[in-house]
mmCIF file of all heavy atoms in Angstrom:
data_model
loop_
_atom_site.group_PDB
_atom_site.id
_atom_site.type_symbol
_atom_site.label_atom_id
_atom_site.label_comp_id
_atom_site.label_asym_id
_atom_site.label_seq_id
_atom_site.Cartn_x
_atom_site.Cartn_y
_atom_site.Cartn_z
ATOM 1 N N VAL A 496 -42.349 -18.541 38.247
ATOM 2 C CA VAL A 496 -42.554 -17.824 37.036
ATOM 3 C C VAL A 496 -42.969 -18.814 35.796
ATOM 4 O O VAL A 496 -43.965 -18.644 35.188
ATOM 5 C CB VAL A 496 -41.172 -17.095 36.635
ATOM 6 C CG1 VAL A 496 -41.307 -16.449 35.243
ATOM 7 C CG2 VAL A 496 -41.009 -15.938 37.583
ATOM 8 N N VAL A 497 -42.094 -19.905 35.699
ATOM 9 C CA VAL A 497 -42.266 -20.872 34.627
ATOM 10 C C VAL A 497 -43.571 -21.592 34.740
ATOM 11 O O VAL A 497 -44.314 -21.906 33.761
ATOM 12 C CB VAL A 497 -41.093 -21.606 34.336
ATOM 13 C CG1 VAL A 497 -41.198 -22.492 33.114
ATOM 14 C CG2 VAL A 497 -39.770 -20.751 34.260
ATOM 15 N N LEU A 498 -43.766 -22.118 35.992
ATOM 16 C CA LEU A 498 -44.972 -23.025 36.131
ATOM 17 C C LEU A 498 -46.235 -22.252 36.677
ATOM 18 O O LEU A 498 -47.078 -22.743 37.207
ATOM 19 C CB LEU A 498 -44.493 -24.106 37.065
ATOM 20 C CG LEU A 498 -43.450 -24.888 36.684
ATOM 21 C CD1 LEU A 498 -43.014 -26.029 37.734
ATOM 22 C CD2 LEU A 498 -43.498 -25.505 35.333
ATOM 23 N N ALA A 499 -46.194 -20.917 36.304
ATOM 24 C CA ALA A 499 -47.411 -20.075 36.910
ATOM 25 C C ALA A 499 -48.608 -20.776 36.406
ATOM 26 O O ALA A 499 -48.740 -21.175 35.272
ATOM 27 C CB ALA A 499 -47.164 -18.678 36.654
ATOM 28 N N GLU A 500 -49.702 -20.414 37.243
ATOM 29 C CA GLU A 500 -51.112 -20.850 36.719
ATOM 30 C C GLU A 500 -51.338 -19.913 35.383
ATOM 31 O O GLU A 500 -51.147 -18.765 35.328
ATOM 32 C CB GLU A 500 -52.115 -20.364 37.635
ATOM 33 C CG GLU A 500 -52.326 -21.447 38.866
ATOM 34 C CD GLU A 500 -52.794 -22.771 38.258
ATOM 35 O OE1 GLU A 500 -53.964 -22.730 37.489
ATOM 36 O OE2 GLU A 500 -52.282 -23.827 38.662
ATOM 37 N N LYS A 501 -51.833 -20.730 34.500
ATOM 38 C CA LYS A 501 -52.186 -20.020 33.182
ATOM 39 C C LYS A 501 -53.582 -19.436 33.117
ATOM 40 O O LYS A 501 -54.423 -20.089 33.622
ATOM 41 C CB LYS A 501 -51.904 -20.913 32.101
ATOM 42 C CG LYS A 501 -50.454 -20.966 31.802
ATOM 43 C CD LYS A 501 -49.973 -22.288 31.270
ATOM 44 C CE LYS A 501 -48.491 -22.494 31.599
ATOM 45 N NZ LYS A 501 -48.487 -23.044 33.104
ATOM 46 N N PRO A 502 -53.738 -18.397 32.536
ATOM 47 C CA PRO A 502 -55.076 -17.937 32.388
ATOM 48 C C PRO A 502 -55.813 -18.957 31.512
ATOM 49 O O PRO A 502 -55.216 -19.584 30.569
ATOM 50 C CB PRO A 502 -54.977 -16.674 31.608
ATOM 51 C CG PRO A 502 -53.701 -16.705 30.982
ATOM 52 C CD PRO A 502 -52.785 -17.476 32.004
ATOM 53 N N VAL A 503 -57.074 -19.114 31.730
ATOM 54 C CA VAL A 503 -57.773 -20.132 30.961
ATOM 55 C C VAL A 503 -57.931 -19.617 29.481
ATOM 56 O O VAL A 503 -58.322 -18.406 29.267
ATOM 57 C CB VAL A 503 -59.308 -20.308 31.465
ATOM 58 C CG1 VAL A 503 -60.062 -21.285 30.742
ATOM 59 C CG2 VAL A 503 -59.154 -20.789 32.945
ATOM 60 N N ILE A 504 -57.644 -20.444 28.621
ATOM 61 C CA ILE A 504 -57.581 -19.971 27.161
ATOM 62 C C ILE A 504 -58.866 -20.261 26.591
ATOM 63 O O ILE A 504 -59.431 -21.460 26.680
ATOM 64 C CB ILE A 504 -56.509 -20.827 26.536
ATOM 65 C CG1 ILE A 504 -55.107 -20.363 26.999
ATOM 66 C CG2 ILE A 504 -56.494 -20.352 24.896
ATOM 67 C CD1 ILE A 504 -54.134 -21.375 26.788
ATOM 68 N N SER A 505 -59.584 -19.518 26.126
ATOM 69 C CA SER A 505 -60.845 -19.825 25.519
ATOM 70 C C SER A 505 -60.705 -20.048 23.983
ATOM 71 O O SER A 505 -59.849 -19.686 23.389
ATOM 72 C CB SER A 505 -61.759 -18.417 25.550
ATOM 73 O OG SER A 505 -61.206 -17.457 24.927
ATOM 74 N N ASP A 506 -61.448 -21.011 23.564
ATOM 75 C CA ASP A 506 -61.336 -21.466 22.306
ATOM 76 C C ASP A 506 -62.710 -21.633 21.745
ATOM 77 O O ASP A 506 -63.755 -21.684 22.406
ATOM 78 C CB ASP A 506 -60.509 -22.856 22.143
ATOM 79 C CG ASP A 506 -61.150 -23.894 22.733
ATOM 80 O OD1 ASP A 506 -60.956 -24.093 23.900
ATOM 81 O OD2 ASP A 506 -61.931 -24.638 22.040
ATOM 82 N N ASP A 507 -62.684 -21.839 20.408
ATOM 83 C CA ASP A 507 -63.993 -21.823 19.648
ATOM 84 C C ASP A 507 -65.032 -22.774 20.054
ATOM 85 O O ASP A 507 -66.188 -22.621 19.915
ATOM 86 C CB ASP A 507 -63.796 -21.823 18.122
ATOM 87 C CG ASP A 507 -63.130 -23.184 17.642
ATOM 88 O OD1 ASP A 507 -62.344 -23.787 18.648
ATOM 89 O OD2 ASP A 507 -63.438 -23.613 16.716
ATOM 90 N N SER A 508 -64.570 -23.916 20.612
ATOM 91 C CA SER A 508 -65.440 -24.957 20.980
ATOM 92 C C SER A 508 -66.036 -24.764 22.313
ATOM 93 O O SER A 508 -66.855 -25.604 22.783
ATOM 94 C CB SER A 508 -64.801 -26.397 20.802
ATOM 95 O OG SER A 508 -63.743 -26.351 21.772
ATOM 96 N N ASN A 509 -65.784 -23.767 22.973
ATOM 97 C CA ASN A 509 -66.174 -23.520 24.438
ATOM 98 C C ASN A 509 -67.704 -23.438 24.314
ATOM 99 O O ASN A 509 -68.249 -23.006 23.283
ATOM 100 C CB ASN A 509 -65.647 -22.335 25.059
ATOM 101 C CG ASN A 509 -64.374 -22.701 25.750
ATOM 102 O OD1 ASN A 509 -64.176 -23.869 25.949
ATOM 103 N ND2 ASN A 509 -63.765 -21.667 26.496
ATOM 104 N N GLN A 510 -68.404 -23.714 25.381
ATOM 105 C CA GLN A 510 -69.790 -23.723 25.501
ATOM 106 C C GLN A 510 -70.147 -22.336 25.317
ATOM 107 O O GLN A 510 -69.576 -21.238 25.680
ATOM 108 C CB GLN A 510 -70.237 -24.193 26.844
ATOM 109 C CG GLN A 510 -69.632 -25.491 27.265
ATOM 110 C CD GLN A 510 -70.473 -26.565 26.639
ATOM 111 O OE1 GLN A 510 -71.665 -26.680 26.727
ATOM 112 N NE2 GLN A 510 -69.705 -27.643 26.051
ATOM 113 N N LEU A 511 -71.514 -22.052 24.678
ATOM 114 C CA LEU A 511 -71.916 -20.743 24.494
ATOM 115 C C LEU A 511 -72.490 -20.211 25.796
ATOM 116 O O LEU A 511 -72.810 -20.994 26.737
ATOM 117 C CB LEU A 511 -73.086 -20.861 23.416
ATOM 118 C CG LEU A 511 -72.626 -21.214 21.976
ATOM 119 C CD1 LEU A 511 -73.905 -21.534 21.213
ATOM 120 C CD2 LEU A 511 -71.982 -19.923 21.513
ATOM 121 N N ASP A 512 -72.549 -18.872 25.922
ATOM 122 C CA ASP A 512 -73.120 -18.356 26.975
ATOM 123 C C ASP A 512 -74.617 -18.692 27.235
ATOM 124 O O ASP A 512 -75.272 -18.699 26.184
ATOM 125 C CB ASP A 512 -73.001 -16.797 26.618
ATOM 126 C CG ASP A 512 -73.645 -15.891 27.665
ATOM 127 O OD1 ASP A 512 -73.195 -15.859 28.869
ATOM 128 O OD2 ASP A 512 -74.730 -15.283 27.357
ATOM 129 N N PRO A 513 -74.915 -18.970 28.414
ATOM 130 C CA PRO A 513 -76.332 -19.548 28.603
ATOM 131 C C PRO A 513 -77.437 -18.709 28.018
ATOM 132 O O PRO A 513 -78.465 -19.345 27.385
ATOM 133 C CB PRO A 513 -76.459 -19.669 30.179
ATOM 134 C CG PRO A 513 -75.143 -19.650 30.631
ATOM 135 C CD PRO A 513 -74.263 -18.836 29.639
ATOM 136 N N SER A 514 -77.450 -17.362 28.156
ATOM 137 C CA SER A 514 -78.541 -16.639 27.574
ATOM 138 C C SER A 514 -78.452 -16.637 26.117
ATOM 139 O O SER A 514 -79.570 -16.623 25.437
ATOM 140 C CB SER A 514 -78.423 -15.227 28.134
ATOM 141 O OG SER A 514 -77.195 -14.688 27.623
ATOM 142 N N LEU A 515 -77.248 -16.613 25.518
ATOM 143 C CA LEU A 515 -77.200 -16.772 24.005
ATOM 144 C C LEU A 515 -77.817 -18.021 23.571
ATOM 145 O O LEU A 515 -78.541 -18.070 22.647
ATOM 146 C CB LEU A 515 -75.831 -16.511 23.615
ATOM 147 C CG LEU A 515 -75.575 -16.835 22.151
ATOM 148 C CD1 LEU A 515 -76.308 -15.685 21.259
ATOM 149 C CD2 LEU A 515 -74.047 -16.616 21.757
ATOM 150 N N LEU A 516 -77.424 -19.082 24.282
ATOM 151 C CA LEU A 516 -77.865 -20.469 24.049
ATOM 152 C C LEU A 516 -79.411 -20.505 24.070
ATOM 153 O O LEU A 516 -79.992 -21.051 23.292
ATOM 154 C CB LEU A 516 -77.276 -21.416 24.964
ATOM 155 C CG LEU A 516 -77.651 -22.950 24.700
ATOM 156 C CD1 LEU A 516 -77.088 -23.328 23.368
ATOM 157 C CD2 LEU A 516 -76.867 -23.771 25.712
ATOM 158 N N ASP A 517 -80.032 -19.892 25.102
ATOM 159 C CA ASP A 517 -81.402 -19.900 25.071
ATOM 160 C C ASP A 517 -82.106 -19.197 23.850
ATOM 161 O O ASP A 517 -82.980 -19.750 23.282
ATOM 162 C CB ASP A 517 -81.892 -19.042 26.303
ATOM 163 C CG ASP A 517 -81.858 -19.710 27.582
ATOM 164 O OD1 ASP A 517 -81.899 -20.873 27.557
ATOM 165 O OD2 ASP A 517 -81.793 -19.024 28.674
ATOM 166 N N GLU A 518 -81.456 -18.139 23.484
ATOM 167 C CA GLU A 518 -82.021 -17.454 22.367
ATOM 168 C C GLU A 518 -81.818 -18.313 21.101
ATOM 169 O O GLU A 518 -82.731 -18.357 20.250
ATOM 170 C CB GLU A 518 -81.242 -16.078 22.256
ATOM 171 C CG GLU A 518 -81.959 -15.333 21.152
ATOM 172 C CD GLU A 518 -81.429 -13.882 20.926
ATOM 173 O OE1 GLU A 518 -80.547 -13.484 21.822
ATOM 174 O OE2 GLU A 518 -81.914 -13.198 20.150
ATOM 175 N N LEU A 519 -80.685 -18.953 20.912
ATOM 176 C CA LEU A 519 -80.355 -19.867 19.744
ATOM 177 C C LEU A 519 -81.279 -20.884 19.738
ATOM 178 O O LEU A 519 -81.909 -21.357 18.696
ATOM 179 C CB LEU A 519 -78.961 -20.189 19.787
ATOM 180 C CG LEU A 519 -77.852 -19.135 19.641
ATOM 181 C CD1 LEU A 519 -76.507 -19.644 19.601
ATOM 182 C CD2 LEU A 519 -78.184 -18.219 18.460
ATOM 183 N N LEU A 520 -81.651 -21.574 20.871
ATOM 184 C CA LEU A 520 -82.491 -22.676 20.988
ATOM 185 C C LEU A 520 -83.911 -22.287 20.584
ATOM 186 O O LEU A 520 -84.641 -23.120 20.020
ATOM 187 C CB LEU A 520 -82.529 -23.468 22.320
ATOM 188 C CG LEU A 520 -81.195 -24.162 22.558
ATOM 189 C CD1 LEU A 520 -81.267 -24.599 24.121
ATOM 190 C CD2 LEU A 520 -81.165 -25.362 21.834
ATOM 191 N N ALA A 521 -84.219 -21.081 20.868
ATOM 192 C CA ALA A 521 -85.631 -20.713 20.420
ATOM 193 C C ALA A 521 -85.707 -20.346 18.900
ATOM 194 O O ALA A 521 -86.751 -20.188 18.330
ATOM 195 C CB ALA A 521 -85.974 -19.315 21.218
ATOM 196 N N ASN A 522 -84.427 -20.469 18.366
ATOM 197 C CA ASN A 522 -84.445 -20.245 16.837
ATOM 198 C C ASN A 522 -84.008 -21.425 16.105
ATOM 199 O O ASN A 522 -83.322 -21.323 15.063
ATOM 200 C CB ASN A 522 -83.457 -18.998 16.653
ATOM 201 C CG ASN A 522 -84.142 -17.734 16.797
ATOM 202 O OD1 ASN A 522 -85.070 -17.372 16.053
ATOM 203 N ND2 ASN A 522 -83.553 -16.927 17.706
ATOM 204 N N ILE A 523 -84.188 -22.624 16.661
ATOM 205 C CA ILE A 523 -83.748 -23.867 16.026
ATOM 206 C C ILE A 523 -84.337 -23.833 14.650
ATOM 207 O O ILE A 523 -85.469 -23.373 14.330
ATOM 208 C CB ILE A 523 -84.278 -25.040 16.793
ATOM 209 C CG1 ILE A 523 -83.197 -25.226 17.923
ATOM 210 C CG2 ILE A 523 -84.367 -26.311 15.989
ATOM 211 C CD1 ILE A 523 -83.610 -26.553 18.768
ATOM 212 N N ALA A 524 -83.593 -24.368 13.715
ATOM 213 C CA ALA A 524 -83.758 -24.582 12.292
ATOM 214 C C ALA A 524 -83.708 -23.211 11.391
ATOM 215 O O ALA A 524 -83.697 -23.236 10.288
ATOM 216 C CB ALA A 524 -85.210 -25.189 11.994
ATOM 217 N N THR A 525 -83.512 -22.128 12.134
ATOM 218 C CA THR A 525 -83.354 -20.941 11.262
ATOM 219 C C THR A 525 -81.877 -20.568 11.174
ATOM 220 O O THR A 525 -80.895 -21.241 11.791
ATOM 221 C CB THR A 525 -83.957 -19.673 12.128
ATOM 222 O OG1 THR A 525 -83.230 -19.513 13.347
ATOM 223 C CG2 THR A 525 -85.403 -19.968 12.391
ATOM 224 N N LEU A 526 -81.561 -19.569 10.426
ATOM 225 C CA LEU A 526 -80.224 -19.134 10.211
ATOM 226 C C LEU A 526 -79.499 -18.843 11.387
ATOM 227 O O LEU A 526 -78.302 -19.238 11.611
ATOM 228 C CB LEU A 526 -80.308 -17.800 9.463
ATOM 229 C CG LEU A 526 -79.938 -17.935 7.835
ATOM 230 C CD1 LEU A 526 -79.980 -16.531 7.227
ATOM 231 C CD2 LEU A 526 -78.702 -18.554 7.638
ATOM 232 N N SER A 527 -80.075 -18.260 12.384
ATOM 233 C CA SER A 527 -79.592 -17.916 13.647
ATOM 234 C C SER A 527 -78.913 -19.141 14.309
ATOM 235 O O SER A 527 -77.910 -19.113 14.790
ATOM 236 C CB SER A 527 -80.718 -17.305 14.465
ATOM 237 O OG SER A 527 -80.169 -17.116 15.798
ATOM 238 N N SER A 528 -79.597 -20.281 14.189
ATOM 239 C CA SER A 528 -79.141 -21.526 14.843
ATOM 240 C C SER A 528 -77.982 -22.037 14.116
ATOM 241 O O SER A 528 -77.239 -22.885 14.581
ATOM 242 C CB SER A 528 -80.077 -22.653 14.854
ATOM 243 O OG SER A 528 -80.526 -23.119 13.587
ATOM 244 N N VAL A 529 -77.865 -21.773 12.749
ATOM 245 C CA VAL A 529 -76.676 -22.246 11.968
ATOM 246 C C VAL A 529 -75.588 -21.338 12.142
ATOM 247 O O VAL A 529 -74.372 -21.795 12.316
ATOM 248 C CB VAL A 529 -77.149 -22.279 10.555
ATOM 249 C CG1 VAL A 529 -75.937 -22.601 9.618
ATOM 250 C CG2 VAL A 529 -78.199 -23.260 10.152
ATOM 251 N N TYR A 530 -75.631 -19.989 12.210
ATOM 252 C CA TYR A 530 -74.592 -19.198 12.444
ATOM 253 C C TYR A 530 -74.071 -19.109 13.926
ATOM 254 O O TYR A 530 -73.173 -18.590 14.253
ATOM 255 C CB TYR A 530 -75.004 -17.689 12.049
ATOM 256 C CG TYR A 530 -75.121 -17.393 10.618
ATOM 257 C CD1 TYR A 530 -75.995 -16.517 10.169
ATOM 258 C CD2 TYR A 530 -74.308 -18.242 9.731
ATOM 259 C CE1 TYR A 530 -76.179 -16.246 8.763
ATOM 260 C CE2 TYR A 530 -74.493 -17.935 8.336
ATOM 261 C CZ TYR A 530 -75.427 -17.011 7.889
ATOM 262 O OH TYR A 530 -75.458 -16.653 6.546
ATOM 263 N N HIS A 531 -75.020 -19.598 14.847
ATOM 264 C CA HIS A 531 -74.847 -19.442 16.240
ATOM 265 C C HIS A 531 -74.657 -17.989 16.666
ATOM 266 O O HIS A 531 -73.848 -17.603 17.439
ATOM 267 C CB HIS A 531 -73.555 -20.324 16.663
ATOM 268 C CG HIS A 531 -73.717 -21.812 16.729
ATOM 269 N ND1 HIS A 531 -72.902 -22.678 17.140
ATOM 270 C CD2 HIS A 531 -74.727 -22.511 16.051
ATOM 271 C CE1 HIS A 531 -73.364 -23.891 16.873
ATOM 272 N NE2 HIS A 531 -74.473 -23.861 16.286
ATOM 273 N N LYS A 532 -75.527 -17.184 16.109
ATOM 274 C CA LYS A 532 -75.532 -15.804 16.426
ATOM 275 C C LYS A 532 -76.994 -15.365 16.597
ATOM 276 O O LYS A 532 -77.807 -15.831 15.871
ATOM 277 C CB LYS A 532 -74.994 -14.947 15.352
ATOM 278 C CG LYS A 532 -73.518 -15.125 15.128
ATOM 279 C CD LYS A 532 -73.203 -14.169 13.867
ATOM 280 C CE LYS A 532 -71.912 -14.641 13.246
ATOM 281 N NZ LYS A 532 -71.855 -14.047 11.918
ATOM 282 N N PRO A 533 -77.254 -14.443 17.532
ATOM 283 C CA PRO A 533 -78.611 -13.980 17.718
ATOM 284 C C PRO A 533 -79.076 -13.255 16.391
ATOM 285 O O PRO A 533 -78.204 -12.736 15.513
ATOM 286 C CB PRO A 533 -78.623 -13.104 18.728
ATOM 287 C CG PRO A 533 -77.231 -12.660 18.882
ATOM 288 C CD PRO A 533 -76.390 -13.770 18.377
ATOM 289 N N PRO A 534 -80.408 -13.317 15.900
ATOM 290 C CA PRO A 534 -80.766 -12.874 14.626
ATOM 291 C C PRO A 534 -80.297 -11.299 14.441
ATOM 292 O O PRO A 534 -79.939 -10.956 13.397
ATOM 293 C CB PRO A 534 -82.349 -12.894 14.717
ATOM 294 C CG PRO A 534 -82.594 -13.975 15.715
ATOM 295 C CD PRO A 534 -81.439 -13.902 16.600
ATOM 296 N N GLU A 535 -80.348 -10.607 15.401
ATOM 297 C CA GLU A 535 -79.963 -9.135 15.285
ATOM 298 C C GLU A 535 -78.529 -8.988 14.740
ATOM 299 O O GLU A 535 -78.291 -8.062 14.082
ATOM 300 C CB GLU A 535 -79.977 -8.290 16.666
ATOM 301 C CG GLU A 535 -81.195 -8.510 17.581
ATOM 302 C CD GLU A 535 -80.807 -9.785 18.401
ATOM 303 O OE1 GLU A 535 -80.187 -9.800 19.391
ATOM 304 O OE2 GLU A 535 -81.450 -10.806 18.062
ATOM 305 N N ALA A 536 -77.713 -9.991 14.956
ATOM 306 C CA ALA A 536 -76.350 -9.852 14.555
ATOM 307 C C ALA A 536 -76.158 -9.941 13.101
ATOM 308 O O ALA A 536 -75.132 -9.582 12.560
ATOM 309 C CB ALA A 536 -75.484 -10.893 15.328
ATOM 310 N N PHE A 537 -77.087 -10.502 12.454
ATOM 311 C CA PHE A 537 -76.835 -10.460 10.950
ATOM 312 C C PHE A 537 -78.032 -10.061 10.077
ATOM 313 O O PHE A 537 -77.929 -10.091 8.960
ATOM 314 C CB PHE A 537 -76.471 -11.958 10.581
ATOM 315 C CG PHE A 537 -77.603 -12.982 10.965
ATOM 316 C CD1 PHE A 537 -78.514 -13.215 10.049
ATOM 317 C CD2 PHE A 537 -77.584 -13.590 12.215
ATOM 318 C CE1 PHE A 537 -79.479 -14.239 10.211
ATOM 319 C CE2 PHE A 537 -78.532 -14.636 12.452
ATOM 320 C CZ PHE A 537 -79.529 -14.973 11.539
ATOM 321 N N VAL A 538 -79.234 -9.777 10.673
ATOM 322 C CA VAL A 538 -80.276 -9.462 9.797
ATOM 323 C C VAL A 538 -80.240 -7.761 9.846
ATOM 324 O O VAL A 538 -80.267 -7.195 10.831
ATOM 325 C CB VAL A 538 -81.718 -9.820 10.596
ATOM 326 C CG1 VAL A 538 -82.776 -9.172 9.737
ATOM 327 C CG2 VAL A 538 -81.786 -11.307 10.524
ATOM 328 N N THR A 539 -80.060 -7.392 8.555
ATOM 329 C CA THR A 539 -79.987 -6.042 8.437
ATOM 330 C C THR A 539 -81.363 -5.484 8.099
ATOM 331 O O THR A 539 -81.986 -5.893 7.081
ATOM 332 C CB THR A 539 -79.059 -5.580 7.364
ATOM 333 O OG1 THR A 539 -79.227 -6.429 6.324
ATOM 334 C CG2 THR A 539 -77.604 -5.778 7.867
ATOM 335 N N ARG A 540 -81.861 -4.442 8.636
ATOM 336 C CA ARG A 540 -83.159 -3.948 8.385
ATOM 337 C C ARG A 540 -83.039 -2.519 7.771
ATOM 338 O O ARG A 540 -82.016 -1.906 7.850
ATOM 339 C CB ARG A 540 -83.949 -3.841 9.653
ATOM 340 C CG ARG A 540 -84.284 -5.188 10.249
ATOM 341 C CD ARG A 540 -85.577 -5.643 9.456
ATOM 342 N NE ARG A 540 -85.430 -7.136 9.402
ATOM 343 C CZ ARG A 540 -86.639 -7.953 9.389
ATOM 344 N NH1 ARG A 540 -87.806 -7.402 9.280
ATOM 345 N NH2 ARG A 540 -86.525 -9.169 9.321
ATOM 346 N N VAL A 541 -84.167 -1.983 7.152
ATOM 347 C CA VAL A 541 -84.111 -0.800 6.606
ATOM 348 C C VAL A 541 -83.634 0.354 7.602
ATOM 349 O O VAL A 541 -83.008 1.295 7.259
ATOM 350 C CB VAL A 541 -85.524 -0.426 6.016
ATOM 351 C CG1 VAL A 541 -85.554 0.770 5.099
ATOM 352 C CG2 VAL A 541 -86.041 -1.582 5.396
ATOM 353 N N LYS A 542 -84.033 0.208 8.888
ATOM 354 C CA LYS A 542 -83.720 1.094 9.886
ATOM 355 C C LYS A 542 -82.348 1.479 9.862
ATOM 356 O O LYS A 542 -81.870 2.665 9.972
ATOM 357 C CB LYS A 542 -84.156 0.624 11.157
ATOM 358 C CG LYS A 542 -85.616 0.314 11.438
ATOM 359 C CD LYS A 542 -85.790 -0.501 12.645
ATOM 360 C CE LYS A 542 -87.197 -1.353 12.466
ATOM 361 N NZ LYS A 542 -87.040 -2.435 13.472
ATOM 362 N N THR A 543 -81.419 0.348 9.947
ATOM 363 C CA THR A 543 -79.974 0.754 9.942
ATOM 364 C C THR A 543 -79.499 1.442 8.756
ATOM 365 O O THR A 543 -78.615 2.268 8.926
ATOM 366 C CB THR A 543 -79.266 -0.604 10.071
ATOM 367 O OG1 THR A 543 -79.762 -1.485 9.063
ATOM 368 C CG2 THR A 543 -79.478 -1.317 11.401
#
Side-chain angles (χ1 to χ4, degrees):
Chain A
V496 173
V497 181
L498 306 180
E500 276 296 311
K501 280 151 207 80
V503 178
I504 298 153
S505 60
D506 64 272
D507 60 331
S508 63
N509 265 358
Q510 308 276 315
L511 291 166
D512 173 69
S514 62
L515 176 61
L516 186 58
D517 277 342
E518 186 172 0
L519 297 181
L520 284 171
N522 277 301
I523 279 181
T525 68
L526 260 182
S527 170
S528 73
V529 172
Y530 289 150
H531 291 188
K532 290 178 200 162
E535 318 78 85
F537 59 89
V538 175
T539 48
R540 290 277 152 153
V541 193
K542 299 167 208 158
T543 51

